[in-house]
Amino acid sequence: MACKNYILVCGGTGCESSRSDEIYRDLIKEAELQGVKEEVQIVKTGCFGFCERGPIVKVLPSESFYVGVKPEDAKEIIAEQVIKGREVKRLLYKKDQNTADTVKVKDIDFYQKQFRVVLRNCGVINPESIEEYIARDGYKALEKALFEMTPEQIIAEVKASGLRGRGGAGFPTGVKWETASKAPGDVKYVVCNADEGDPGAYMDRSTIEGDPHSILEAMIIAGKAIDAHQGFIYIRAEYPLAIDRLNVAISQAKEMGLMGENILGSGFNFDVELRLGAGAFVCGEETALLRSIEGNRGMPVPKPPFPAIKGLWGKPTVINNVETLANVPVVLTRGAAWFSSIGTDKSKGTKVFALTGKINNSGLIEVPMGTTLREIIFDIGGGIRNGKKFKGVQTGGPSGGIIVEKDLDTPISYESLISLGSMMGSGGMIVMDEDDCMVDVSKFYMAFCVDESCGKCAPCRIGTNQMHAILDKISKGKGEESDLDDLERIGKAMTKASLCMLGGSAANPTMATIRHFRDEYLEHINEHKCRAGKCKDLIVYEINPEKCIGCGLCARRCPVPCITGEKKQPHVIDKSRCLKCGECFKACKFGAVTKR
Amino acid sequence: MAKMTLDELRALRESKRKDLEKRDVEGKDIQIVVGMGTCGIAAGAKQTFDALVDQVQKNGLEGSVLIRQTGCMGLCYVEPTVEVLVPGMPTVIYGKMTADTAEELVKKHLVGHQLLDNHILDRPAADIMKK
Ligand SMILES: Cc1cc2nc3c(=O)[nH]c(=O)nc-3n(C[C@H](O)[C@H](O)[C@H](O)COP(=O)(O)O)c2cc1C
C-alpha cells in the first residue's frame, strides 16, 4: 500500500550540516510515537538547492515546502500534517518580495526560481516521438502561422514579444526577420546556428537532444515569415546524439506532412537539411558559418552587408541561434503579451544557462531574465563546492568576462552584463572559487582564441598571440608591471580593429580579470607568487622535516621520482626535477608536504 | 503515418494529449522515464535503462510498467536521472540512478510503494505546458 504522506528531508551537504540528520530521526520517532508509522514514509533526499534556507523539508503529495526546519519541529509536522492534514504555516517558504517585480508571470508563484519556456519539453517528452511533441502543443504555432497569420502578422508578433537573439549579441529577432522579409530576392534561407563553441556551454545541444521538433517548427515559421523554403541547421559533428535526434525528427515531420511540400495542405513548402561543422569556434560566427555551409573555408567577411540582406549564396538569410528558435513556437501559441510579461524591461523571456565549475549543483537551468546571479549560484546551484569561497563567475565564454561578488545582486539582462564588463554570451556560466587563479584563467581563454583565430585579419591573428605570450610570461613569474599596460593596449587595438567579434572580444576575459584582480597580477609579477597555487612555475613543494615521519608514501607516489630519504627519516624533494604534479601533497597524511 | 491535414493534426493532438494526461499508455499505468541526453548517457543512463528493463521483467511487471526515454532534465550533477510515476504515489525524480540501483527501484518503489532514500531530487521547474 502506498503511504498517505511522504516527508522528504533534504540530505544535501548544506542541510546535513544544519542538522537535517536529527530532523530525519526525530520525524521517524514522532511518527512512531504518534502512531502513524504506516501512513507516512520519511525519506532522505539529494540536495534541493536553496541551501541558504536549509534545512529543507518537503511533504508530498501536498508539496508543502518548509525551510529553516529544526528538530523540534518534527512533532508539529507529524501532528499537523500527517494526522490533521494541515500545513505548518509558520515553516512554509515565502517568496521574498524583492524579486517580485522582475518576474511577473503568475505561474511562478511557488518557491521555484526556474521557469522553463525553452526547456519546456526537455526531460518531459520522448525526443524521438513526434506524437508526444504534438500532444504538448507542438506544431500548434505552425498551424497558426500557416492558416491564421500573414507573414507580416508573424513578424509583428515576434517583434512585440521582445524576443532577442540568444546566440550572444541579443539582436531583436523580429527586426532581423523583418529585414530579411523586406530584402529583395527570389530565394531566401533560414539557418539555425547550432555550432555552440563556447567552452563549458551545452545548452543548445541539450535543447536539441531533448526537443528537436521545437527547432524545426520554428524554422518553418521563420520560413513562412520571410518567404523562404529551405532551411539549414549547422551543427557540429561532435554532437552525434543531437544530430541523430534531428534526423529522426526531420523524417517524422516529413512523413506526417509537417515538412516538405504543401505542409498540412496549406500550399507552403519548406525543407530542412543538416550541415555538419568540424568544430571550429569561428564557424559559430554567422558570416563564417554561412561560408562554411557554402562549402568554403569558414572565415568571416565584413558586415554590412548583414546576412539578412546578403547571406547564404548572396541571398537574404535569417540566421538564428537554437535557443532563440526554441522560443518562437511559444511566442506564437501564448502570444507576445504573455512572453513579454516575463523578464525585465529590455530583456524579455528566459535564459538557459549551463552552470558549471566549482558549484554544487551543476546543470542546465532556465531562469527568467532579471534573476540575479546570486539566486542562480546560491539558490539553484546550491553554492560553492566543498565550502570554498566564491571568487567570480565567468559568463560569455572567451568573449565574456568575470563577474565578482559585489555584483552578484545585479538582475541579469543583456545590458546589465555588458555594464559589468561581461556579456550574456550564449549561456555558459563557469563558477570559480579561491583555488582558481585569474592569470591562469585569462591565459586559458587567450590560448583558446589563439587556437581558434582563423588568421584572416592581423589584429586577431597577431594580437591574440602577443597577449598570450605576455600572460604566459606573467604566469611564469617573469612579467613586469608594464606588461599590464601592454595587455590593455593590444587588447584595445584588437577590440577596435578585428574583422569579427572573435578578435573583437578576445581581450574581454583578460581585461575583466585585470580590472577586478589587478593585485593578483601584481603578485605574480612582483612577488612571483600564485595565491591559488595554479601557476606551476610559481609553486614550490617542500617537505617539512619536523612533520615528516618518513613513511615513504610520497616517494612511492612521485612519478619522476624525485623524492628521497631513509625509512623513518625526513624525506627531501629534489626541486630541480620536481614536475609539480602535487601527488606528494595529496598523498601525505601528516601535512608534512607544503605548497607555496 | 501518412501526410496529415490540419484537422488530422488537431485530432491527433487531442488524442495524444489525453494519453499523456491519463498516463496510461498501452494499458500500462506505471512509468519509468530515463533522462537520455548526452550527459545522462555519459553517466551510464543506457545501462540503467537496460537494468530497469531486466528488473521489471524479473519481478513480472512487464504488463504494467512502461519504460521510456527523455532528454536532459537539467540535473547534470546527479546523472543518470530517472522519473517514476506510480498511481497513488507522488511523482518523483531520482538522481544518481546507476544500473546497480535498478533492483532497489523496482522492488522498493514499484512493488513496495516506498520512496528510495538519498536519491530524490526536486523537480527543477513547474511545467508551463500544464495550464
Ligand atoms: C566567434 C563567434 C562565435 C559565435 N558562436 C556562436 C555559436 O556557437 N552559436 C550561436 O548561436 N551564435 C554564435 N555567434 C553569434 C552569431 O554570429 C550570431 O550572432 C547568431 O547566430 C545570431 O543568432 P541570434 O540572433 O538568434 O542570436 C558567434 C559569434 C562570434 C563572433
Side-chain angles (χ1 to χ4, degrees):
Chain A
M1 244 325 277
C3 295
K4 217 167 69 188
N5 287 287
Y6 295 86
I7 304 185
L8 313 184
V9 183
C10 180
T13 40
C15 295
E16 284 278 14
S17 56
S18 44
R19 310 204 292 179
S20 72
D21 232 15
E22 251 177 274
I23 300 171
Y24 172 75
R25 283 196 302 268
D26 285 2
L27 281 167
I28 294 182
K29 206 160 63 193
E30 281 299 330
E32 239 165 82
L33 279 177
Q34 302 187 31
V36 286
K37 204 173 76 180
E38 303 299 319
E39 285 168 47
V40 59
Q41 188 198 352
I42 325 278
V43 197
K44 262 207 225 182
T45 71
C47 181
F48 272 21
F50 257 71
C51 310
E52 307 261 285
R53 267 158 271 191
I56 285 162
V57 170
K58 189 170 171 180
V59 186
L60 298 177
S62 62
E63 300 263 341
S64 317
F65 193 79
Y66 298 136
V67 293
V69 180
K70 297 193 187 61
E72 305 85 273
D73 299 326
K75 191 169 172 182
E76 195 176 342
I77 294 178
I78 299 287
E80 284 294 305
Q81 190 126 32
V82 180
I83 298 182
K84 302 200 191 107
R86 298 195 295 229
E87 292 187 314
V88 184
K89 290 246 160 52
R90 68 181 173 88
L91 294 173
L92 282 177
Y93 172 68
K94 294 162 197 78
K95 193 165 172 66
D96 83 21
Q97 296 304 309
N98 301 338
T99 55
D101 55 343
T102 52
V103 182
K104 284 176 227 126
V105 173
K106 284 185 218 70
D107 320 35
I108 341 174
D109 46 1
F110 204 38
Y111 62 93
Q112 263 141 337
K113 301 259 176 191
Q114 294 204 55
F115 189 67
R116 299 197 149 175
V117 177
V118 173
L119 302 177
R120 59 194 177 277
N121 288 325
C122 282
V124 179
I125 64 167
N126 177 352
E128 294 179 16
S129 160
I130 190 171
E131 282 95 353
E132 288 190 23
Y133 178 71
I134 290 173
R136 289 171 56 86
D137 284 354
Y139 289 108
K140 201 171 179 177
L142 181 66
E143 284 178 19
K144 259 189 159 169
L146 291 182
F147 296 97
E148 293 163 28
M149 297 172 91
T150 62
E152 293 72 29
Q153 283 170 329
I154 299 172
I155 289 169
E157 196 75 11
V158 175
K159 264 170 100 174
S161 74
L163 175 63
R164 293 168 63 178
R166 304 290 195 244
F171 192 80
T173 306
V175 176
K176 190 183 272 189
W177 289 18
E178 186 171 48
T179 309
S181 95
K182 288 191 175 149
D186 46 345
V187 178
K188 297 180 183 181
Y189 296 104
V190 176
V191 173
C192 168
N193 187 343
D195 191 59
E196 197 168 49
D198 287 16
Y202 57 92
M203 305 75 51
D204 294 347
R205 186 196 74 208
S206 300
T207 306
I208 294 176
E209 284 176 1
D211 196 14
H213 283 284
S214 65
I215 309 300
L216 303 182
E217 182 176 5
M219 289 179 75
I220 307 170
I221 294 168
K224 162 90 191 241
I226 68 162
D227 194 24
H229 302 283
Q230 178 67 49
F232 293 97
I233 302 177
Y234 189 85
I235 182 165
R236 49 179 56 218
E238 63 213 67
Y239 281 179
L241 184 64
I243 293 168
D244 268 5
R245 296 222 165 123
L246 277 172
N247 277 327
V248 170
I250 290 173
S251 64
Q252 287 172 339
K254 281 193 175 154
E255 210 173 303
M256 296 179 82
L258 292 161
M259 194 189 279
E261 300 219 334
N262 191 16
I263 297 172
L264 293 172
S266 66
F268 182 71
N269 310 331
F270 197 84
D271 264 309
V272 173
E273 283 178 33
L274 302 191
R275 286 291 179 273
L276 306 193
F281 180 56
V282 75
C283 285
E285 195 282 332
E286 54 191 14
T287 61
L289 185 152
L290 296 176
R291 296 299 84 77
S292 178
I293 293 183
E294 290 168 358
N296 298 315
R297 186 165 165 187
M299 282 182 161
V301 294
K303 288 188 283 193
F306 289 95
I309 308 278
K310 254 183 116 189
L312 200 55
W313 292 293
K315 308 292 183 193
T317 303
V318 155
I319 172 163
N320 274 130
N321 164 262
V322 169
E323 187 181 333
T324 315
L325 290 171
N327 277 297
V328 167
V330 184
V331 167
L332 292 202
T333 45
R334 293 293 176 89
W338 180 88
F339 189 85
S340 63
S341 73
I342 314 165
T344 69
D345 197 22
K346 286 195 182 132
S347 302
K348 298 299 186 190
T350 61
K351 181 75 194 84
V352 182
F353 291 102
L355 190 58
T356 56
K358 308 286 178 58
I359 184 112
N360 276 316
N361 307 344
S362 58
L364 190 70
I365 64 159
E366 180 170 356
V367 291
M369 298 275 192
T371 305
T372 67
L373 283 161
R374 192 180 300 282
E375 289 173 287
I376 293 180
I377 295 169
F378 291 94
D379 290 342
I380 299 172
I384 311 302
R385 251 194 259 152
N386 303 323
K388 296 264 178 166
K389 201 163 165 278
F390 171 82
K391 188 165 189 176
V393 53
Q394 220 283 341
T395 68
S399 315
I402 195 152
I403 295 166
V404 292
E405 169 78 31
K406 72 174 171 54
D407 297 323
L408 284 187
D409 292 312
T410 315
I412 291 180
S413 67
Y414 290 98
E415 287 74 21
S416 71
L417 291 184
I418 286 174
S419 75
L420 295 178
S422 186
M423 63 184 265
M424 184 80 78
S426 54
M429 197 177 263
I430 304 173
V431 177
M432 302 185 182
D433 69 5
E434 52 195 304
D435 292 339
D436 290 303
C437 164
M438 290 303 128
V439 176
D440 188 60
V441 167
S442 324
K443 201 173 103 176
F444 166 80
Y445 283 110
M446 196 53 73
F448 180 85
C449 292
V450 171
D451 282 349
E452 298 294 339
S453 170
C454 76
K456 184 170 179 177
C457 75
C460 175
R461 182 180 68 240
I462 302 174
T464 52
N465 258 300
Q466 288 302 323
M467 285 185 75
H468 183 260
I470 297 174
L471 288 167
D472 190 50
K473 202 171 93 179
I474 296 176
S475 77
K476 295 200 158 96
K478 294 181 182 148
E480 299 158 54
E481 277 193 38
S482 63
D483 284 340
L484 297 184
D485 302 332
D486 286 345
L487 283 174
E488 275 176 71
R489 216 162 32 85
I490 302 171
K492 267 195 195 129
M494 246 164 66
T495 306
K496 266 203 168 141
S498 294
L499 174 58
C500 82
M501 281 312 283
L502 196 164
S505 58
N508 287 356
T510 308
M511 294 302 121
T513 49
I514 294 183
R515 191 163 52 247
H516 293 301
F517 300 96
R518 200 177 181 90
D519 52 335
E520 221 170 284
Y521 276 86
L522 291 175
E523 237 169 53
H524 280 74
I525 293 171
N526 297 326
E527 299 168 40
H528 311 300
K529 186 177 149 199
C530 172
R531 65 172 85 170
K534 270 276 145 73
C535 295
K536 278 198 176 168
D537 290 286
L538 301 185
I539 42 180
V540 181
Y541 286 101
E542 276 172 327
I543 296 175
N544 179 347
E546 317 226 309
K547 284 193 178 164
C548 178
I549 64 149
C551 70
L553 187 60
C554 56
R556 285 197 296 280
R557 288 280 168 80
C558 178
V560 178
C562 67
I563 303 179
T564 50
E566 294 294 315
K567 224 177 182 173
K568 302 213 171 136
Q569 294 298 317
H571 282 45
V572 207
I573 300 175
D574 177 356
K575 287 179 206 138
S576 65
R577 290 163 60 219
C578 174
L579 298 177
K580 302 178 185 171
C581 66
E583 282 301 314
C584 53
F585 181 75
K586 274 186 256 161
C588 184
K589 296 194 174 74
F590 306 96
V593 180
T594 59
K595 174 175 166 185
R596 68 172 167 83
Chain B
M1 163 86 59
K3 288 194 192 276
M4 292 185 298
T5 63
L6 181 58
D7 290 336
E8 283 163 351
L9 172 63
R10 286 179 174 160
L12 178 71
R13 180 176 300 119
E14 268 323 297
S15 80
K16 288 289 163 186
R17 190 201 308 279
K18 290 208 179 92
D19 277 358
L20 272 193
E21 274 163 13
K22 260 199 323 213
R23 290 211 169 129
D24 172 341
V25 191
E26 303 160 18
K28 300 175 176 182
D29 61 356
I30 297 177
Q31 277 192 48
I32 305 179
V33 189
V34 184
M36 301 264 254
T38 295
C39 42
I41 291 172
K46 275 194 176 143
Q47 287 82 337
T48 304
F49 194 95
D50 293 344
L52 283 167
V53 173
D54 235 34
Q55 285 298 331
V56 163
Q57 250 168 17
K58 272 201 188 126
N59 287 277
L61 296 170
E62 314 87 295
S64 54
V65 180
L66 180 72
I67 307 181
R68 303 169 37 216
Q69 66 163 344
T70 186
C72 171
M73 301 186 197
L75 305 161
C76 311
Y77 65 111
V78 285
E79 293 290 349
T81 46
V82 173
E83 185 175 7
V84 185
L85 300 87
V86 175
M89 284 178 75
T91 298
V92 290
I93 294 179
Y94 289 122
K96 296 197 183 158
M97 296 303 283
T98 42
D100 53 353
T101 61
E103 185 174 351
E104 191 189 354
L105 176 75
V106 172
K107 288 213 169 113
K108 191 164 174 188
H109 192 136
L110 302 197
V111 180
H113 291 272
Q114 294 266 303
L115 304 181
L116 270 56
D117 271 314
N118 297 320
H119 285 282
I120 297 186
L121 292 157
D122 210 16
R123 179 172 302 282
D127 187 352
I128 63 156
M129 303 311 285
K130 279 195 191 133
K131 274 151 270 181

